[in-house]
Short mmCIF file of all heavy atoms in Angstrom, two decimals:
data_model
loop_
_atom_site.label_atom_id
_atom_site.label_comp_id
_atom_site.label_asym_id
_atom_site.label_seq_id
_atom_site.Cartn_x
_atom_site.Cartn_y
_atom_site.Cartn_z
N HIS A 1 39.07 21.80 44.56
CA HIS A 1 38.64 22.55 43.39
C HIS A 1 39.34 22.08 42.11
O HIS A 1 38.89 22.40 41.00
CB HIS A 1 38.92 24.04 43.58
CG HIS A 1 38.07 24.67 44.63
ND1 HIS A 1 38.58 25.09 45.84
CD2 HIS A 1 36.74 24.94 44.66
CE1 HIS A 1 37.61 25.62 46.57
NE2 HIS A 1 36.48 25.53 45.88
N LEU A 2 40.44 21.35 42.22
CA LEU A 2 41.23 21.01 41.03
C LEU A 2 40.51 20.02 40.15
O LEU A 2 40.59 20.10 38.91
CB LEU A 2 42.60 20.48 41.46
CG LEU A 2 43.42 21.44 42.34
CD1 LEU A 2 44.84 20.91 42.48
CD2 LEU A 2 43.44 22.85 41.77
N LYS A 3 39.81 19.06 40.74
CA LYS A 3 39.05 18.09 39.94
C LYS A 3 37.94 18.80 39.18
O LYS A 3 37.68 18.49 38.00
CB LYS A 3 38.47 17.01 40.85
CG LYS A 3 37.76 15.89 40.10
CD LYS A 3 37.29 14.82 41.07
CE LYS A 3 36.59 13.68 40.30
NZ LYS A 3 36.13 12.61 41.22
N ARG A 4 37.30 19.75 39.80
CA ARG A 4 36.23 20.51 39.12
C ARG A 4 36.82 21.35 37.98
O ARG A 4 36.22 21.44 36.91
CB ARG A 4 35.51 21.40 40.12
CG ARG A 4 34.71 20.63 41.18
CD ARG A 4 34.14 21.58 42.21
NE ARG A 4 33.23 22.53 41.58
CZ ARG A 4 32.89 23.69 42.13
NH1 ARG A 4 33.41 24.05 43.30
NH2 ARG A 4 32.04 24.49 41.51
N ALA A 5 37.97 21.96 38.20
CA ALA A 5 38.61 22.75 37.15
C ALA A 5 38.94 21.88 35.95
O ALA A 5 38.75 22.28 34.80
CB ALA A 5 39.85 23.45 37.70
N ALA A 6 39.47 20.67 36.21
CA ALA A 6 39.81 19.77 35.12
C ALA A 6 38.57 19.34 34.37
O ALA A 6 38.57 19.20 33.14
CB ALA A 6 40.56 18.55 35.67
N ARG A 7 37.47 19.13 35.09
CA ARG A 7 36.22 18.74 34.43
C ARG A 7 35.72 19.86 33.52
O ARG A 7 35.27 19.61 32.41
CB ARG A 7 35.17 18.38 35.47
CG ARG A 7 33.89 17.77 34.90
CD ARG A 7 32.96 17.37 36.02
NE ARG A 7 33.61 16.40 36.91
CZ ARG A 7 33.13 16.08 38.13
NH1 ARG A 7 32.05 16.69 38.59
NH2 ARG A 7 33.75 15.20 38.86
N ILE A 8 35.77 21.08 34.00
CA ILE A 8 35.37 22.22 33.16
C ILE A 8 36.27 22.33 31.94
O ILE A 8 35.80 22.56 30.82
CB ILE A 8 35.40 23.52 34.00
CG1 ILE A 8 34.26 23.53 35.00
CG2 ILE A 8 35.33 24.75 33.09
CD1 ILE A 8 34.29 24.70 35.96
N SER A 9 37.57 22.15 32.13
CA SER A 9 38.49 22.23 31.00
C SER A 9 38.15 21.19 29.93
O SER A 9 38.15 21.49 28.73
CB SER A 9 39.92 22.01 31.49
OG SER A 9 40.85 22.00 30.43
N GLY A 10 37.83 19.96 30.34
CA GLY A 10 37.47 18.94 29.39
C GLY A 10 36.19 19.27 28.64
O GLY A 10 36.08 19.04 27.42
N ALA A 11 35.20 19.82 29.34
CA ALA A 11 33.94 20.18 28.70
C ALA A 11 34.14 21.34 27.72
O ALA A 11 33.54 21.37 26.64
CB ALA A 11 32.90 20.54 29.75
N VAL A 12 34.98 22.31 28.09
CA VAL A 12 35.29 23.43 27.19
C VAL A 12 35.96 22.90 25.93
O VAL A 12 35.65 23.34 24.81
CB VAL A 12 36.18 24.46 27.89
CG1 VAL A 12 36.74 25.47 26.89
CG2 VAL A 12 35.39 25.19 28.97
N GLY A 13 36.86 21.94 26.06
CA GLY A 13 37.53 21.37 24.90
C GLY A 13 36.54 20.71 23.94
O GLY A 13 36.65 20.89 22.72
N LEU A 14 35.61 19.95 24.48
CA LEU A 14 34.61 19.31 23.63
C LEU A 14 33.74 20.34 22.90
O LEU A 14 33.43 20.18 21.71
CB LEU A 14 33.73 18.39 24.46
CG LEU A 14 34.30 17.01 24.79
CD1 LEU A 14 33.36 16.28 25.74
CD2 LEU A 14 34.50 16.20 23.52
N ALA A 15 33.35 21.38 23.62
CA ALA A 15 32.53 22.43 23.00
C ALA A 15 33.32 23.14 21.91
O ALA A 15 32.79 23.44 20.83
CB ALA A 15 32.06 23.43 24.06
N ALA A 16 34.60 23.41 22.16
CA ALA A 16 35.43 24.07 21.16
C ALA A 16 35.62 23.18 19.95
O ALA A 16 35.68 23.65 18.80
CB ALA A 16 36.80 24.44 21.76
N LEU A 17 35.72 21.87 20.16
CA LEU A 17 35.83 20.95 19.04
C LEU A 17 34.60 21.04 18.14
O LEU A 17 34.72 21.01 16.91
CB LEU A 17 36.01 19.51 19.55
CG LEU A 17 36.02 18.44 18.47
CD1 LEU A 17 37.24 18.57 17.58
CD2 LEU A 17 35.99 17.04 19.11
N GLY A 18 33.42 21.13 18.76
CA GLY A 18 32.21 21.28 17.98
C GLY A 18 32.24 22.51 17.11
O GLY A 18 31.87 22.48 15.92
N VAL A 19 32.69 23.62 17.69
CA VAL A 19 32.79 24.87 16.94
C VAL A 19 33.80 24.73 15.81
O VAL A 19 33.54 25.12 14.66
CB VAL A 19 33.19 26.04 17.87
CG1 VAL A 19 33.44 27.31 17.07
CG2 VAL A 19 32.10 26.29 18.92
N ALA A 20 34.97 24.15 16.12
CA ALA A 20 36.03 24.04 15.13
C ALA A 20 35.65 23.09 13.99
O ALA A 20 35.94 23.37 12.82
CB ALA A 20 37.33 23.56 15.80
N ALA A 21 35.01 21.97 14.31
CA ALA A 21 34.64 21.00 13.28
C ALA A 21 33.54 21.55 12.39
O ALA A 21 33.47 21.24 11.19
CB ALA A 21 34.18 19.70 13.92
N ALA A 22 32.66 22.38 12.94
CA ALA A 22 31.57 22.95 12.15
C ALA A 22 32.06 24.07 11.25
O ALA A 22 31.49 24.30 10.18
CB ALA A 22 30.47 23.47 13.07
N TYR A 23 33.11 24.78 11.66
CA TYR A 23 33.54 25.98 10.91
C TYR A 23 33.92 25.67 9.46
O TYR A 23 33.46 26.37 8.55
CB TYR A 23 34.71 26.65 11.63
CG TYR A 23 35.22 27.88 10.92
CD1 TYR A 23 34.71 29.12 11.23
CD2 TYR A 23 36.20 27.79 9.93
CE1 TYR A 23 35.16 30.27 10.58
CE2 TYR A 23 36.64 28.93 9.26
CZ TYR A 23 36.12 30.15 9.60
OH TYR A 23 36.55 31.28 8.94
N PRO A 24 34.77 24.69 9.16
CA PRO A 24 35.18 24.50 7.76
C PRO A 24 34.03 24.22 6.81
O PRO A 24 34.09 24.57 5.63
CB PRO A 24 36.15 23.30 7.83
CG PRO A 24 36.62 23.27 9.24
CD PRO A 24 35.45 23.75 10.06
#
């Protein structure tokens, strides 16, 4: 399960980057 958890974490980071970059 650890590889899957890391993959989800990476995808969440990319999605959060999109939100953060769009906000300003």
Side-chain angles (χ1 to χ4, degrees):
H1 292 110
L2 303 190
K3 184 176 181 180
R4 294 174 60 200
R7 188 176 301 166
I8 289 174
S9 177
V12 168
L14 279 174
L17 175 65
V19 174
Y23 180 91

